[in-house]
Amino acid sequence: MNENSCSFHNEKGLRDGQVESVCAAYPPPYDKDTSALRALRGIPISELKNHGILRALTAEANGWEPRVVSAEVLRAQEEWEAVDNIRTETGSQASADQPGQLISFNEALQHFQTVDLSSFKKRIQPTIRRTGLAALRHCLFGPPKLHQGLREERDLVLTIAQCGLDSQDPVHGRVLQTIYKKLTGSKFDCALHGDHWEDLGFQGANPATDLRGAGFLALLHLLYLVMDSKTLLMAQEIFRLSRHHIQQFPFCLMSVNITRIAIQALREECLSRECNRQQKVIPVVNSFYAATFLRLAHVWRTQRKTIADSGFVLKDLEVLAKKSPRRLLKTLEIYLAGVSKGQSSLLGAQKCFGPQAPHSKDLTFTGVCDLPPHSSEGTWLI
């Protein structure tokens, strides 16, 4: 019998699909390698590349050398090598705050409650200064003053609005990542600078440049909107409306303008009555922001507004919001109650009203603070 041949026996084993290879004179080939692989069998797949096993299996076993490497293989190898290197540009350390971990509104708020904001607090003007007849009229017919015990909370809101976005702060980075993931449905972190922020409705690749007049409070409001299960549905519907081929608008820039309206309403004491009733400031401001955004989306959809109408829509919205904040808040309550029952739908079925509109980058946008009297032209908010 040839010494390299093997006899096959045990017919029962063959019927069961089991084949035994018997070489009388020689041990099984690659016995040492087989033992090594058996010893490493329990190693997780994510650790195999650290032991060089994948390379050994693909390039060295049986002396096989790959001749042609396709583009798909090269791309897969690059992605594999990057598995352990996924990081955001927040400068955070692994334990401080894992880049992939979402952050809640309360956690982000707690961050601002614990850090030193004294330099920013010096800049705030808690209320509008009135003189002459305006002061007398406000005293006689205006809203009540905010209770003394709530003024510190009000000042915190206004102080956060003075803070900018710091890309080196891990909490700031996590807030941005959470907003991006919740709106887009992405599972992965993204760079803090890049064209992908324009897809969310920022003016450019750096969201920090679009927060003028609202500061980090604008991002906290977006975070509040996307981290509550009921308001998240509303945010996603408005986001879809903002991407409509006719009625598109820059979602995040519009949100920043609504935060501005909320800041002005707070400073003008339009929200004081509701804050005094609830004995809270931050939840009232958050709800007022969400209710105002809901009203804007309703007007935008039902009246078929376009980007050319943005400045006028925001001006009218500001007047209504300051005049009837309780009315807006009640509308939000009804909407959210319907969402909890699975009945509310802000947008419903979208219809096309003509040919494709230009991409939003080619359009202009007028912010609530940028529209001069009797102006018919808008500019991107900066």
Side-chain angles (χ1 to χ4, degrees):
M1 181 178 66
N2 190 313
E3 60 182 6
N4 291 324
S5 65
C6 296
S7 61
F8 299 91
H9 62 294
N10 195 341
E11 294 180 359
K12 183 177 183 301
L14 289 173
R15 287 196 302 272
D16 295 338
Q18 299 176 350
V19 179
E20 294 184 4
S21 176
V22 180
C23 296
Y26 296 94
Y30 302 103
D31 185 68
K32 181 178 180 180
D33 292 339
T34 304
S35 299
L37 290 175
R38 188 181 299 115
L40 294 172
R41 185 174 297 170
I43 296 177
I45 186 68
S46 61
E47 294 295 324
L48 288 179
K49 73 186 186 75
N50 296 332
H51 293 272
I53 296 301
L54 292 180
R55 189 175 295 107
L57 289 176
T58 58
E60 297 177 8
N62 296 326
W64 180 80
E65 292 289 341
R67 295 180 181 178
V68 179
V69 181
S70 67
E72 289 80 4
V73 171
L74 289 175
R75 186 163 55 251
Q77 183 177 358
E78 290 174 359
E79 292 175 356
W80 176 263
E81 294 295 333
V83 165
D84 290 339
N85 299 318
I86 296 177
R87 295 289 186 272
T88 59
E89 298 176 12
T90 60
S92 62
Q93 296 181 357
S95 80
D97 310 292
Q98 302 172 3
Q101 185 178 2
L102 301 181
I103 187 170
S104 68
F105 174 84
N106 288 334
E107 185 180 352
L109 177 63
Q110 186 178 14
H111 169 75
F112 285 97
Q113 291 172 327
T114 55
V115 299
D116 181 15
L117 301 176
S118 56
S119 62
F120 299 103
K121 190 173 182 179
K122 295 176 182 178
R123 307 177 191 173
I124 70 172
Q125 293 183 359
T127 57
I128 298 294
R129 296 175 182 175
R130 298 177 177 88
T131 59
L133 291 177
L136 179 61
R137 184 169 59 251
H138 182 78
C139 182
L140 295 177
F141 307 108
K145 291 186 176 298
L146 188 68
H147 290 169
Q148 184 69 35
L150 298 176
R151 293 179 185 178
E152 183 177 352
E153 189 177 353
R154 174 202 61 194
D155 291 351
L156 175 62
V157 173
L158 298 176
T159 301
I160 295 174
Q162 293 292 325
C163 299
L165 171 62
D166 181 3
S167 61
Q168 300 303 314
D169 189 319
V171 172
H172 290 208
R174 288 177 61 201
V175 169
L176 272 181
Q177 298 286 0
T178 300
I179 293 169
Y180 181 83
K181 291 178 181 178
K182 284 291 187 176
L183 287 176
T184 64
S186 173
K187 301 290 185 184
F188 303 100
D189 287 348
C190 61
L192 297 187
H193 296 162
D195 293 343
H196 48 280
W197 294 111
E198 297 180 40
D199 296 335
L200 264 62
F202 284 105
Q203 179 179 354
N206 182 7
T209 61
D210 295 328
L211 304 182
R212 181 174 58 85
F216 203 86
L217 184 64
L219 295 180
L220 280 188
H221 277 166
L222 278 171
L223 182 67
Y224 160 76
L225 206 63
V226 302
M227 285 304 287
D228 182 276
S229 58
K230 291 182 292 186
T231 54
L232 172 61
L233 295 176
M234 184 183 86
Q236 290 172 336
E237 284 197 281
I238 300 175
F239 184 58
R240 285 195 293 272
L241 175 62
S242 75
R243 299 170 69 86
H244 187 272
H245 71 285
I246 296 292
Q247 294 184 271
Q248 59 181 307
F249 59 86
F251 176 83
C252 287
L253 283 182
M254 194 70 81
S255 175
V256 171
N257 276 274
I258 293 175
T259 296
R260 286 178 175 179
I261 294 175
I263 292 171
Q264 286 301 106
L266 182 63
R267 293 183 65 234
E268 294 178 21
E269 301 178 290
C270 302
L271 303 180
S272 295
R273 189 185 307 277
E274 190 64 25
C275 291
N276 292 341
R277 187 181 72 84
Q278 296 190 27
Q279 286 298 298
K280 298 174 181 178
V281 174
I282 292 176
V284 171
V285 174
N286 288 347
S287 296
F288 178 79
Y289 156 82
T292 306
F293 212 164
L294 178 65
R295 173 65 183 176
L296 179 138
H298 174 74
V299 170
W300 201 273
R301 179 181 68 88
T302 58
Q303 298 182 20
R304 299 183 180 181
K305 298 297 184 181
T306 66
I307 196 71
D309 304 310
S310 59
F312 304 103
V313 171
L314 286 168
K315 281 292 185 182
D316 292 342
L317 183 65
E318 182 178 8
V319 172
L320 173 65
K322 292 178 179 178
K323 182 179 179 181
S324 307
R326 181 57 190 159
R327 175 183 169 188
L328 287 181
L329 292 172
K330 186 64 178 177
T331 302
L332 178 67
E333 291 176 8
I334 295 172
Y335 172 81
L336 295 182
V339 168
S340 64
K341 297 177 182 178
Q343 297 174 350
S344 288
S345 177
L346 173 65
L347 305 180
Q350 292 287 332
K351 296 182 179 180
C352 297
F353 303 113
Q356 176 99 4
H359 190 274
S360 60
K361 291 182 181 179
D362 301 324
L363 299 172
T364 56
F365 177 77
T366 306
V368 68
C369 299
D370 300 324
L371 182 68
H374 309 296
S375 172
S376 60
E377 295 185 1
T379 56
W380 277 101
L381 174 63
I382 55 176

